[in-house]
Amino acid sequence: MTDLQERFRQIKTFIFDIDGVLTNGDVHLLDTGEQYRTFDIKDSYAIERALQAGFRVGIVSVANSEGIRRWLNVLKVKDVFMGGPSDQKLNAYLGYLTRDSLNETEVLYMGDDLPDYPILSRPKVLKACPTDAVEEIKAICDYVSVKPAGRGAVREVIEHVLKAQSKWPVT
């Protein structure tokens, strides 16, 4: 078993950024001023599987939209920290760890850009990113998905963790 597989076996909590991780980073603007994003159904399925298997799933994102909140509610993601300036992501992350007494060695965080750097540079968290993350993020991550953001990167990493723990429905 590789060191990475052993780390996957320790994970109990997944934390994801929204834009550039769960979406491809595109924000579509309608004439009304409304914004919309596209999410991959396979990523959504993996989040549901993780929750059903007893994992925690959290969101730490600058994005703040009622539509995203409703989508996360449908998926039954309860730990949602959205909105605020990008330099406050670390505070939201640390607040989540403290609030729920989470052990950072049991957390996998997936981010894609410089606002995620303060979290991804922490030594104990398992660091992951999509293949199209910025170079500075890819350079510090333990796991770089072969999939791009919004196109299965989240599914891929969840599947690896659940398979390492024999919790994926088909192995």
Side-chain angles (χ1 to χ4, degrees):
M1 179 173 296
T2 67
D3 289 342
L4 184 57
Q5 289 172 319
E6 183 55 38
R7 292 287 312 277
F8 285 156
R9 291 173 53 97
Q10 296 174 17
I11 298 304
K12 294 181 180 177
T13 303
F14 295 98
I15 304 175
F16 300 107
D17 181 23
I18 296 282
D19 291 325
V21 173
L22 281 161
T23 76
N24 68 0
D26 289 348
V27 177
H28 304 274
L29 300 172
L30 302 175
D31 288 342
T32 62
E34 292 178 273
Q35 302 175 5
Y36 74 91
R37 295 159 172 89
T38 304
F39 294 87
D40 188 294
I41 197 68
K42 291 180 181 85
D43 289 342
S44 300
Y45 173 76
I47 289 170
E48 289 175 334
R49 292 301 313 178
L51 289 166
Q52 290 168 1
F55 290 84
R56 298 179 80 102
V57 176
I59 300 297
V60 174
S61 180
V62 173
N64 193 14
S65 137
E66 190 55 36
I68 293 172
R69 287 182 187 280
R70 284 194 300 261
W71 172 74
L72 293 169
N73 189 48
V74 167
L75 294 178
K76 297 183 175 49
V77 175
K78 294 179 177 32
D79 299 320
V80 178
F81 307 90
M82 290 175 37
S86 61
D87 63 352
Q88 294 301 308
K89 287 181 88 166
L90 178 60
N91 290 340
Y93 170 80
L94 294 173
Y96 180 31
L97 294 182
T98 300
R99 184 193 80 182
D100 293 8
S101 301
L102 301 178
N103 180 342
E104 198 166 25
T105 62
E106 299 172 343
V107 172
L108 182 148
Y109 182 89
M110 184 175 256
D112 71 302
D113 207 346
L114 296 181
D116 300 302
Y117 194 92
I119 297 169
L120 291 170
S121 63
R122 295 180 60 79
K124 294 182 181 179
V125 66
L126 180 56
K127 307 153 195 49
C129 67
T131 192
D132 53 353
V134 299
E135 291 303 317
E136 295 90 343
I137 296 300
K138 291 197 295 191
I140 63 170
C141 280
D142 303 305
Y143 183 79
V144 178
S145 172
V146 298
K147 303 277 188 175
R151 297 286 183 252
V154 168
R155 159 76 177 251
E156 181 184 320
V157 76
I158 289 175
E159 191 171 332
H160 279 305
V161 170
L162 270 63
K163 283 182 175 179
Q165 297 183 27
S166 301
K167 294 180 179 179
W168 189 251
V170 179
T171 54

PDB file of all heavy atoms in Angstrom, residues 21-44:
ATOM      1  N   VAL A  21     -13.572  23.824  -8.591  1.00  0.00           N
ATOM      2  CA  VAL A  21     -13.488  22.462  -8.059  1.00  0.00           C
ATOM      3  C   VAL A  21     -14.779  21.723  -8.400  1.00  0.00           C
ATOM      4  O   VAL A  21     -14.784  20.792  -9.186  1.00  0.00           O
ATOM      5  CB  VAL A  21     -13.214  22.448  -6.537  1.00  0.00           C
ATOM      6  CG1 VAL A  21     -13.306  21.045  -5.971  1.00  0.00           C
ATOM      7  CG2 VAL A  21     -11.834  23.042  -6.241  1.00  0.00           C
ATOM      8  N   LEU A  22     -15.889  22.141  -7.779  1.00  0.00           N
ATOM      9  CA  LEU A  22     -17.182  21.533  -8.098  1.00  0.00           C
ATOM     10  C   LEU A  22     -17.768  22.085  -9.394  1.00  0.00           C
ATOM     11  O   LEU A  22     -18.659  21.479  -9.975  1.00  0.00           O
ATOM     12  CB  LEU A  22     -18.158  21.735  -6.944  1.00  0.00           C
ATOM     13  CG  LEU A  22     -17.929  20.756  -5.789  1.00  0.00           C
ATOM     14  CD1 LEU A  22     -18.569  21.254  -4.506  1.00  0.00           C
ATOM     15  CD2 LEU A  22     -18.457  19.381  -6.152  1.00  0.00           C
ATOM     16  N   THR A  23     -17.293  23.232  -9.832  1.00  0.00           N
ATOM     17  CA  THR A  23     -17.660  23.772 -11.144  1.00  0.00           C
ATOM     18  C   THR A  23     -16.369  23.979 -11.925  1.00  0.00           C
ATOM     19  O   THR A  23     -15.281  23.969 -11.352  1.00  0.00           O
ATOM     20  CB  THR A  23     -18.396  25.123 -11.056  1.00  0.00           C
ATOM     21  OG1 THR A  23     -17.451  26.155 -10.756  1.00  0.00           O
ATOM     22  CG2 THR A  23     -19.494  25.097 -10.010  1.00  0.00           C
ATOM     23  N   ASN A  24     -16.501  24.224 -13.217  1.00  0.00           N
ATOM     24  CA  ASN A  24     -15.297  24.468 -14.016  1.00  0.00           C
ATOM     25  C   ASN A  24     -14.790  25.899 -13.864  1.00  0.00           C
ATOM     26  O   ASN A  24     -13.812  26.274 -14.497  1.00  0.00           O
ATOM     27  CB  ASN A  24     -15.546  24.129 -15.492  1.00  0.00           C
ATOM     28  CG  ASN A  24     -16.523  25.064 -16.157  1.00  0.00           C
ATOM     29  OD1 ASN A  24     -17.043  25.996 -15.531  1.00  0.00           O
ATOM     30  ND2 ASN A  24     -16.796  24.815 -17.422  1.00  0.00           N
ATOM     31  N   GLY A  25     -15.437  26.682 -13.047  1.00  0.00           N
ATOM     32  CA  GLY A  25     -15.017  28.054 -12.804  1.00  0.00           C
ATOM     33  C   GLY A  25     -15.756  29.082 -13.630  1.00  0.00           C
ATOM     34  O   GLY A  25     -15.636  30.276 -13.386  1.00  0.00           O
ATOM     35  N   ASP A  26     -16.528  28.623 -14.614  1.00  0.00           N
ATOM     36  CA  ASP A  26     -17.307  29.560 -15.426  1.00  0.00           C
ATOM     37  C   ASP A  26     -18.504  30.067 -14.621  1.00  0.00           C
ATOM     38  O   ASP A  26     -19.164  29.293 -13.936  1.00  0.00           O
ATOM     39  CB  ASP A  26     -17.852  28.884 -16.688  1.00  0.00           C
ATOM     40  CG  ASP A  26     -16.775  28.561 -17.711  1.00  0.00           C
ATOM     41  OD1 ASP A  26     -15.638  29.064 -17.558  1.00  0.00           O
ATOM     42  OD2 ASP A  26     -17.072  27.802 -18.649  1.00  0.00           O
ATOM     43  N   VAL A  27     -18.770  31.349 -14.710  1.00  0.00           N
ATOM     44  CA  VAL A  27     -19.971  31.940 -14.139  1.00  0.00           C
ATOM     45  C   VAL A  27     -20.735  32.546 -15.310  1.00  0.00           C
ATOM     46  O   VAL A  27     -20.233  33.440 -15.999  1.00  0.00           O
ATOM     47  CB  VAL A  27     -19.655  33.014 -13.081  1.00  0.00           C
ATOM     48  CG1 VAL A  27     -20.925  33.653 -12.570  1.00  0.00           C
ATOM     49  CG2 VAL A  27     -18.849  32.419 -11.933  1.00  0.00           C
ATOM     50  N   HIS A  28     -21.917  32.013 -15.568  1.00  0.00           N
ATOM     51  CA  HIS A  28     -22.745  32.482 -16.674  1.00  0.00           C
ATOM     52  C   HIS A  28     -23.673  33.581 -16.176  1.00  0.00           C
ATOM     53  O   HIS A  28     -24.332  33.425 -15.146  1.00  0.00           O
ATOM     54  CB  HIS A  28     -23.567  31.321 -17.240  1.00  0.00           C
ATOM     55  CG  HIS A  28     -22.709  30.172 -17.673  1.00  0.00           C
ATOM     56  ND1 HIS A  28     -22.140  30.104 -18.914  1.00  0.00           N
ATOM     57  CD2 HIS A  28     -22.309  29.062 -17.008  1.00  0.00           C
ATOM     58  CE1 HIS A  28     -21.430  28.997 -19.006  1.00  0.00           C
ATOM     59  NE2 HIS A  28     -21.512  28.341 -17.866  1.00  0.00           N
ATOM     60  N   LEU A  29     -23.695  34.684 -16.906  1.00  0.00           N
ATOM     61  CA  LEU A  29     -24.516  35.820 -16.525  1.00  0.00           C
ATOM     62  C   LEU A  29     -25.701  35.937 -17.464  1.00  0.00           C
ATOM     63  O   LEU A  29     -25.537  35.979 -18.692  1.00  0.00           O
ATOM     64  CB  LEU A  29     -23.693  37.105 -16.558  1.00  0.00           C
ATOM     65  CG  LEU A  29     -22.481  37.127 -15.631  1.00  0.00           C
ATOM     66  CD1 LEU A  29     -21.638  38.367 -15.885  1.00  0.00           C
ATOM     67  CD2 LEU A  29     -22.926  37.075 -14.188  1.00  0.00           C
ATOM     68  N   LEU A  30     -26.877  35.997 -16.886  1.00  0.00           N
ATOM     69  CA  LEU A  30     -28.098  36.199 -17.667  1.00  0.00           C
ATOM     70  C   LEU A  30     -28.368  37.695 -17.793  1.00  0.00           C
ATOM     71  O   LEU A  30     -27.825  38.502 -17.026  1.00  0.00           O
ATOM     72  CB  LEU A  30     -29.271  35.493 -16.992  1.00  0.00           C
ATOM     73  CG  LEU A  30     -29.102  33.986 -16.780  1.00  0.00           C
ATOM     74  CD1 LEU A  30     -30.290  33.432 -15.994  1.00  0.00           C
ATOM     75  CD2 LEU A  30     -28.946  33.277 -18.100  1.00  0.00           C
ATOM     76  N   ASP A  31     -29.212  38.078 -18.722  1.00  0.00           N
ATOM     77  CA  ASP A  31     -29.559  39.487 -18.906  1.00  0.00           C
ATOM     78  C   ASP A  31     -30.145  40.093 -17.637  1.00  0.00           C
ATOM     79  O   ASP A  31     -30.026  41.296 -17.402  1.00  0.00           O
ATOM     80  CB  ASP A  31     -30.558  39.651 -20.052  1.00  0.00           C
ATOM     81  CG  ASP A  31     -29.920  39.427 -21.409  1.00  0.00           C
ATOM     82  OD1 ASP A  31     -28.673  39.493 -21.503  1.00  0.00           O
ATOM     83  OD2 ASP A  31     -30.665  39.185 -22.375  1.00  0.00           O
ATOM     84  N   THR A  32     -30.770  39.266 -16.814  1.00  0.00           N
ATOM     85  CA  THR A  32     -31.377  39.742 -15.568  1.00  0.00           C
ATOM     86  C   THR A  32     -30.331  40.031 -14.489  1.00  0.00           C
ATOM     87  O   THR A  32     -30.663  40.561 -13.445  1.00  0.00           O
ATOM     88  CB  THR A  32     -32.343  38.679 -15.016  1.00  0.00           C
ATOM     89  OG1 THR A  32     -31.591  37.496 -14.731  1.00  0.00           O
ATOM     90  CG2 THR A  32     -33.457  38.390 -15.996  1.00  0.00           C
ATOM     91  N   GLY A  33     -29.081  39.645 -14.754  1.00  0.00           N
ATOM     92  CA  GLY A  33     -28.034  39.809 -13.755  1.00  0.00           C
ATOM     93  C   GLY A  33     -27.816  38.550 -12.923  1.00  0.00           C
ATOM     94  O   GLY A  33     -26.866  38.466 -12.161  1.00  0.00           O
ATOM     95  N   GLU A  34     -28.725  37.589 -13.079  1.00  0.00           N
ATOM     96  CA  GLU A  34     -28.564  36.331 -12.361  1.00  0.00           C
ATOM     97  C   GLU A  34     -27.338  35.589 -12.887  1.00  0.00           C
ATOM     98  O   GLU A  34     -26.977  35.714 -14.050  1.00  0.00           O
ATOM     99  CB  GLU A  34     -29.800  35.442 -12.532  1.00  0.00           C
ATOM    100  CG  GLU A  34     -31.035  35.979 -11.855  1.00  0.00           C
ATOM    101  CD  GLU A  34     -32.220  35.065 -12.127  1.00  0.00           C
ATOM    102  OE1 GLU A  34     -32.881  35.274 -13.166  1.00  0.00           O
ATOM    103  OE2 GLU A  34     -32.455  34.160 -11.309  1.00  0.00           O
ATOM    104  N   GLN A  35     -26.735  34.829 -11.982  1.00  0.00           N
ATOM    105  CA  GLN A  35     -25.573  34.022 -12.345  1.00  0.00           C
ATOM    106  C   GLN A  35     -25.936  32.556 -12.202  1.00  0.00           C
ATOM    107  O   GLN A  35     -26.724  32.197 -11.334  1.00  0.00           O
ATOM    108  CB  GLN A  35     -24.412  34.316 -11.395  1.00  0.00           C
ATOM    109  CG  GLN A  35     -23.982  35.745 -11.348  1.00  0.00           C
ATOM    110  CD  GLN A  35     -22.903  35.955 -10.289  1.00  0.00           C
ATOM    111  OE1 GLN A  35     -22.423  35.026  -9.663  1.00  0.00           O
ATOM    112  NE2 GLN A  35     -22.534  37.200 -10.091  1.00  0.00           N
ATOM    113  N   TYR A  36     -25.336  31.728 -13.045  1.00  0.00           N
ATOM    114  CA  TYR A  36     -25.506  30.300 -12.832  1.00  0.00           C
ATOM    115  C   TYR A  36     -24.209  29.574 -13.143  1.00  0.00           C
ATOM    116  O   TYR A  36     -23.369  30.058 -13.879  1.00  0.00           O
ATOM    117  CB  TYR A  36     -26.694  29.729 -13.602  1.00  0.00           C
ATOM    118  CG  TYR A  36     -26.506  29.575 -15.089  1.00  0.00           C
ATOM    119  CD1 TYR A  36     -26.016  28.381 -15.620  1.00  0.00           C
ATOM    120  CD2 TYR A  36     -26.835  30.592 -15.965  1.00  0.00           C
ATOM    121  CE1 TYR A  36     -25.846  28.228 -16.977  1.00  0.00           C
ATOM    122  CE2 TYR A  36     -26.681  30.440 -17.319  1.00  0.00           C
ATOM    123  CZ  TYR A  36     -26.176  29.249 -17.833  1.00  0.00           C
ATOM    124  OH  TYR A  36     -26.013  29.109 -19.173  1.00  0.00           O
ATOM    125  N   ARG A  37     -24.079  28.425 -12.509  1.00  0.00           N
ATOM    126  CA  ARG A  37     -22.915  27.565 -12.665  1.00  0.00           C
ATOM    127  C   ARG A  37     -23.400  26.166 -13.011  1.00  0.00           C
ATOM    128  O   ARG A  37     -24.521  25.806 -12.724  1.00  0.00           O
ATOM    129  CB  ARG A  37     -22.112  27.536 -11.368  1.00  0.00           C
ATOM    130  CG  ARG A  37     -21.509  28.877 -11.003  1.00  0.00           C
ATOM    131  CD  ARG A  37     -21.186  28.890  -9.510  1.00  0.00           C
ATOM    132  NE  ARG A  37     -20.447  30.054  -9.098  1.00  0.00           N
ATOM    133  CZ  ARG A  37     -21.004  31.188  -8.706  1.00  0.00           C
ATOM    134  NH1 ARG A  37     -22.315  31.334  -8.695  1.00  0.00           N
ATOM    135  NH2 ARG A  37     -20.259  32.208  -8.329  1.00  0.00           N
ATOM    136  N   THR A  38     -22.508  25.370 -13.565  1.00  0.00           N
ATOM    137  CA  THR A  38     -22.842  24.004 -13.937  1.00  0.00           C
ATOM    138  C   THR A  38     -22.076  23.033 -13.040  1.00  0.00           C
ATOM    139  O   THR A  38     -20.875  23.197 -12.828  1.00  0.00           O
ATOM    140  CB  THR A  38     -22.464  23.750 -15.413  1.00  0.00           C
ATOM    141  OG1 THR A  38     -23.130  24.719 -16.217  1.00  0.00           O
ATOM    142  CG2 THR A  38     -22.852  22.361 -15.850  1.00  0.00           C
ATOM    143  N   PHE A  39     -22.798  22.045 -12.510  1.00  0.00           N
ATOM    144  CA  PHE A  39     -22.207  21.024 -11.656  1.00  0.00           C
ATOM    145  C   PHE A  39     -22.311  19.670 -12.341  1.00  0.00           C
ATOM    146  O   PHE A  39     -23.284  19.397 -13.040  1.00  0.00           O
ATOM    147  CB  PHE A  39     -22.945  20.973 -10.302  1.00  0.00           C
ATOM    148  CG  PHE A  39     -22.764  22.219  -9.492  1.00  0.00           C
ATOM    149  CD1 PHE A  39     -23.601  23.309  -9.663  1.00  0.00           C
ATOM    150  CD2 PHE A  39     -21.743  22.310  -8.561  1.00  0.00           C
ATOM    151  CE1 PHE A  39     -23.435  24.465  -8.925  1.00  0.00           C
ATOM    152  CE2 PHE A  39     -21.564  23.467  -7.814  1.00  0.00           C
ATOM    153  CZ  PHE A  39     -22.418  24.543  -7.997  1.00  0.00           C
ATOM    154  N   ASP A  40     -21.328  18.820 -12.131  1.00  0.00           N
ATOM    155  CA  ASP A  40     -21.302  17.486 -12.728  1.00  0.00           C
ATOM    156  C   ASP A  40     -22.118  16.523 -11.872  1.00  0.00           C
ATOM    157  O   ASP A  40     -21.915  16.425 -10.662  1.00  0.00           O
ATOM    158  CB  ASP A  40     -19.839  17.013 -12.807  1.00  0.00           C
ATOM    159  CG  ASP A  40     -19.683  15.734 -13.577  1.00  0.00           C
ATOM    160  OD1 ASP A  40     -20.182  14.691 -13.100  1.00  0.00           O
ATOM    161  OD2 ASP A  40     -19.039  15.754 -14.638  1.00  0.00           O
ATOM    162  N   ILE A  41     -23.030  15.786 -12.494  1.00  0.00           N
ATOM    163  CA  ILE A  41     -23.904  14.872 -11.767  1.00  0.00           C
ATOM    164  C   ILE A  41     -23.105  13.739 -11.121  1.00  0.00           C
ATOM    165  O   ILE A  41     -23.478  13.227 -10.061  1.00  0.00           O
ATOM    166  CB  ILE A  41     -25.042  14.338 -12.677  1.00  0.00           C
ATOM    167  CG1 ILE A  41     -26.165  13.743 -11.829  1.00  0.00           C
ATOM    168  CG2 ILE A  41     -24.519  13.349 -13.681  1.00  0.00           C
ATOM    169  CD1 ILE A  41     -26.922  14.764 -11.031  1.00  0.00           C
ATOM    170  N   LYS A  42     -21.981  13.356 -11.712  1.00  0.00           N
ATOM    171  CA  LYS A  42     -21.155  12.303 -11.120  1.00  0.00           C
ATOM    172  C   LYS A  42     -20.484  12.793  -9.829  1.00  0.00           C
ATOM    173  O   LYS A  42     -20.331  12.030  -8.880  1.00  0.00           O
ATOM    174  CB  LYS A  42     -20.135  11.798 -12.126  1.00  0.00           C
ATOM    175  CG  LYS A  42     -20.767  11.019 -13.259  1.00  0.00           C
ATOM    176  CD  LYS A  42     -19.719  10.539 -14.250  1.00  0.00           C
ATOM    177  CE  LYS A  42     -20.363   9.782 -15.376  1.00  0.00           C
ATOM    178  NZ  LYS A  42     -20.845  10.632 -16.456  1.00  0.00           N
ATOM    179  N   ASP A  43     -20.090  14.054  -9.799  1.00  0.00           N
ATOM    180  CA  ASP A  43     -19.567  14.625  -8.554  1.00  0.00           C
ATOM    181  C   ASP A  43     -20.664  14.625  -7.492  1.00  0.00           C
ATOM    182  O   ASP A  43     -20.419  14.279  -6.326  1.00  0.00           O
ATOM    183  CB  ASP A  43     -19.071  16.056  -8.774  1.00  0.00           C
ATOM    184  CG  ASP A  43     -17.786  16.144  -9.581  1.00  0.00           C
ATOM    185  OD1 ASP A  43     -17.068  15.131  -9.712  1.00  0.00           O
ATOM    186  OD2 ASP A  43     -17.496  17.250 -10.084  1.00  0.00           O
ATOM    187  N   SER A  44     -21.876  14.995  -7.903  1.00  0.00           N
ATOM    188  CA  SER A  44     -23.007  15.023  -6.966  1.00  0.00           C
ATOM    189  C   SER A  44     -23.281  13.633  -6.409  1.00  0.00           C
ATOM    190  O   SER A  44     -23.508  13.469  -5.209  1.00  0.00           O
ATOM    191  CB  SER A  44     -24.260  15.553  -7.666  1.00  0.00           C
ATOM    192  OG  SER A  44     -24.048  16.860  -8.147  1.00  0.00           O
TER     193      SER A  44
END
